Amino acid sequence: MSQQQAASLPLFDLVTDPPDAPGNPAPGASGTSGRTLLLVRRFDVPFLLTAALSAGAGSSELTLDRGKSGKGRLAAFRRLSGRAVLVLRDKHHLATGDPAAVRAGADSFAHSVVWSAPVLREDADGALVDPAGLALTDLHGIADLLRERGQGEHTVDPDASYPLPASSGALGVRLPALLTLRGPGTGAALRRVTPAPAALTVVQQVHLVPLPEPPLPPRAYHPASGGYGIGHDDHGADGARVMYQPRFRLEHADPDAAPGPVRRPIVFLVDPAVPEPWRSAVVEGGNWWRAAFEAAGFQDAYRVEVAPEGTDLDEPALNTVWWVHRDGRGWSHGQALTDPRTGEILHGRVRLGSQRVAQVTALAEALLAPYGHPDEAARLAVVRETVLARMRLLAAHEIGHALGFLHNFASTGHPSPSVMDYPHPEVTVGPDGTPDLSRAYPSGLGPWDRFLVAHAYGSFATPAEESAGLARLRREAADAGLLHLADEDARGPGAAHADAAVWVPHAHDPFEALEQALAVRRAAQAAFTRGVIPPDRQSGELEARAALLHLYHRHHLAAVTRLVGGVRYAYAQAGDAVPGTVRGTPPVAPDDQWRALRTAAALLRPGDLVPHPAVLAVLTPPGIRYARSPEYLDTRAGRVFDPLSAVESATALVAEALLEPALLNRLAWQHADDPRVPGVTDVLACLLDAAWHGDGAEPAAPSDPLVRETAGWVVVRHALAALRGGELHHPVRDEVGAALRAAAGRLDASGGRDGDGGGADPVGAARRRESARTLTALLDDRSARTGLPHADPLPRVPPGAPL
């Protein structure tokens, strides 16, 4: 066979060994009479290796989901000493140029040999190897993930693992296997989902995917494009970073007649396991993207439909939407397997967590208390439509990831929101005082989503026209105010952008949004009854619904506190000249920072920290054989609901946001540069005074002094945690310590001197004096190892995302 003929054939294939082939079991011996062998036609030719899971662990904590794709790795088979050796290549460090430059680049960075097997036979068609050992290799990294998640050391048990029937198709070869990983059996997450925790059994699908020929012409990635760029360092070009825009291959059937139909549309198949009516909602929401592709000049280029019965969702040539069940609250995901040479998406895979239906239902029921209400049917219809609207939006969002798009957490300021944002339901209080969910979630794409498709998939006649056309699209988006901010700028301790608000309603001033959320919270709590859960559910579940309402304002509050120490900036390249682009990282205006600080501190009032009396009046402990889950507020009051733990969690929303070390470091610099900006001392003083002292008014309830002291100590614990975390600059750390000492002095003074009567509240005065002594002792009793004060554990706040 000539090289040209070999190159036209699949890179590898599967063949069945005849029963009498050398090395096969003799008749009557254990094992099969013939083996499925892997035919490697060409060595040293790169391909993609990935390992998906078709049967998972069912744990949100472990993320080993049914339908989960593994990392795409660049691999090749080598022929060494009579063996076929599977080598992984570094796809992030390459070198272009002449053959010598390419070879130097390949030899400069480590390769990884992950498997080898003897070549059984070789002829003109290629080399035959037994792929059973490859199928049984933990290529998904299950053992690594279990170790990282604190579940102990695990290894594949060869006696409880075996290959499953392999297959070949339009996108390479698939080697499935049942893998059993043995471990200590003590991991809490595994014990919740595994019948025998010492043996976790999953089904892994190893995919060998040839790289497409000819390669798709790459589209250069731009940081303002909204795509998740992939790339490598090109060491043949002075180490320059090369980045590509991930996208599916879309080609017009008649290039001269564009816009028009395409040769091969992008089709996503929805798992038939999705039950109705959610399945129709997933299809409808996923198909929102059709309008954007049509606007970009592609007719009938994209669609979402239910997979025909019997479809093999594991087939790597298919783009699929899986329905995944898990233990506990978890995320949905959109993934894509891409060609590292060009960014071409070879297939997309989406996982929708079924528990999202239960989460949205629980929130809507908590807000409306429909069961047993005179208009129960109407309220339950609103609950149902709210969930349907969320599932449409969820499908569009996760498929958007598989199409090559990042989150955009700045779309709250767009004319209409992006489906790539995280939406909080838009809820208001109606004229009758009932929460109104009629506009809970938006429908359809926003202008940013249309821009995403036009920029990633738009067709241009020449490279010059492409460069100019994409620049024009970015200018138009910037002129329209379509700011883009992704994960690193919106979530996590390092997030600093003032407009990267996550899980907030669309087009709201953050202060107005928080005020509206608090009004909804008050209305729902005041109307709280046993009707927030179905009548056949155990009454202890009322606590979980109460927790949803108690922390309902958490995300709106986070959007306000982001203004304190916040900055603004935009993604761009150095040579961009985009009108309206923010230059540098200017801080939020001082007045807005002070307003945000005072607004957040005002939520440390007892009336905002203690659940409404209507809530407390109906709560009971979980019934026998039921237990509190992580969705519940903690209790240190035995079996019953603990109002002080509720106070701690609500206080922690404020303290955690404003005493985050990166924020305090930013604030210290901003205040030094402009004294009008609140400083670190101002933040501590504002929070501690609001918590411990309030506005000086008489207590509205007998429990108020106890609530205030509880809140004050939560603020102190967060401040001490910031001191001990090692992330504060030394001057900032000293300022936090000084602010705490000053707070102790104010506490001591407010309690009066020893022997004083303490005014109207001698017990409260004595407790304040004791709190002052305890705080001073904490600051004085420093660890011999670190020189820093000890801190109690921080309060646990039940999870609020995903929604």
Side-chain angles (χ1 to χ4, degrees), residues 274-284 384 387-388 391-392:
V274 184
E276 291 289 6
W278 323 125
R279 184 194 308 161
S280 294
V282 168
V283 172
E284 181 182 347
R384 180 186 178 92
V387 180
L388 287 169
M391 295 308 294
R392 296 183 195 106

Side-chain angles (χ1 to χ4, degrees), residues 630-685:
E631 303 287 324
Y632 288 62
L633 293 162
D634 286 345
T635 177
R636 284 188 273 177
R639 288 269 298 153
V640 300
F641 182 81
D642 182 3
L644 289 181
S645 287
V647 169
E648 289 189 326
S649 290
T651 305
L653 296 181
V654 177
E656 183 178 41
L658 291 175
L659 298 178
E660 196 275 315
L663 182 150
L664 296 177
N665 287 333
R666 290 195 305 274
L667 205 58
W669 176 260
Q670 291 180 13
H671 178 73
D673 190 57
D674 182 355
R676 296 175 300 165
V677 171
V680 172
T681 297
D682 297 318
V683 170
L684 266 298

Side-chain angles (χ1 to χ4, degrees), residues 135-215:
L136 295 174
T137 302
D138 179 15
L139 292 171
H140 192 84
I142 301 166
D144 291 341
L145 190 146
L146 292 174
R147 182 177 59 255
E148 292 166 2
R149 301 297 167 91
Q151 306 303 299
E153 296 288 338
H154 288 73
T155 57
V156 174
D157 181 352
D159 294 328
S161 305
Y162 54 89
L164 300 173
S167 63
S168 58
L171 208 61
V173 166
R174 176 154 50 106
L175 305 172
L178 186 146
L179 294 186
T180 298
L181 288 96
R182 293 283 179 185
T186 57
L190 277 179
R191 294 184 69 85
R192 287 196 296 270
V193 296
T194 311
L200 170 65
T201 301
V202 299
V203 175
Q204 176 183 261
Q205 305 270 346
V206 175
H207 296 155
L208 311 181
V209 181
L211 296 171
E213 294 295 342

Side-chain angles (χ1 to χ4, degrees), residues 152-421:
E153 296 288 338
H154 288 73
T155 57
V156 174
D157 181 352
D159 294 328
S161 305
Y162 54 89
L164 300 173
S167 63
S168 58
L171 208 61
V173 166
R174 176 154 50 106
L175 305 172
L178 186 146
L179 294 186
T180 298
L181 288 96
R182 293 283 179 185
T186 57
L190 277 179
R191 294 184 69 85
R192 287 196 296 270
V193 296
T194 311
L200 170 65
T201 301
V202 299
V203 175
Q204 176 183 261
Q205 305 270 346
V206 175
H207 296 155
L208 311 181
V209 181
L211 296 171
E213 294 295 342
L216 177 72
R219 175 159 295 178
Y221 170 75
H222 191 284
S225 69
Y228 56 84
I230 67 166
H232 60 271
D233 291 337
D234 186 351
H235 296 276
D238 300 324
R241 185 72 176 165
V242 178
M243 297 285 285
Y244 302 126
Q245 166 71 52
R247 55 185 182 142
F248 281 93
R249 186 184 298 240
L250 269 186
E251 299 171 328
H252 286 102
D254 182 358
D256 296 329
V262 298
R263 293 178 181 172
R264 183 185 177 191
I266 304 167
V267 180
F268 277 83
L269 299 178
V270 175
D271 191 344
V274 184
E276 291 289 6
W278 323 125
R279 184 194 308 161
S280 294
V282 168
V283 172
E284 181 182 347
N287 275 316
W288 288 350
W289 290 104
R290 294 180 66 174
F293 280 97
E294 290 172 0
F298 298 99
Q299 296 177 9
D300 300 322
Y302 168 89
R303 68 179 184 273
V304 178
E305 59 193 29
V306 179
E309 197 65 38
T311 299
D312 184 358
L313 296 181
D314 288 307
E315 169 55 51
L318 301 179
N319 305 308
T320 50
V321 179
W322 295 62
W323 190 241
V324 178
H325 306 301
R326 306 189 188 101
D327 170 62
R329 182 186 294 250
W331 298 87
S332 296
H333 299 269
Q335 298 174 278
L337 179 67
T338 56
D339 181 347
R341 304 170 303 171
T342 65
E344 178 181 356
I345 298 176
L346 304 182
H347 79 84
R349 185 173 285 204
V350 169
R351 309 193 313 276
L352 300 182
S354 64
Q355 75 275 18
R356 191 69 62 96
V357 171
Q359 290 160 0
V360 179
T361 298
L363 178 59
E365 289 177 344
L367 290 168
L368 295 177
Y371 298 101
H373 198 277
D375 61 349
E376 176 179 317
R379 293 190 178 210
L380 287 176
V382 172
V383 171
R384 180 186 178 92
E385 179 50 41
T386 300
V387 180
L388 287 169
R390 183 67 186 101
M391 295 308 294
R392 296 183 195 106
L393 194 53
L394 179 66
H397 179 101
E398 301 304 344
I399 291 176
H401 285 315
L403 290 171
F405 308 139
L406 282 172
H407 291 129
N408 188 353
F409 295 131
S411 86
T412 50
H414 295 186
S416 57
S418 167
V419 301
M420 301 312 298
D421 207 338

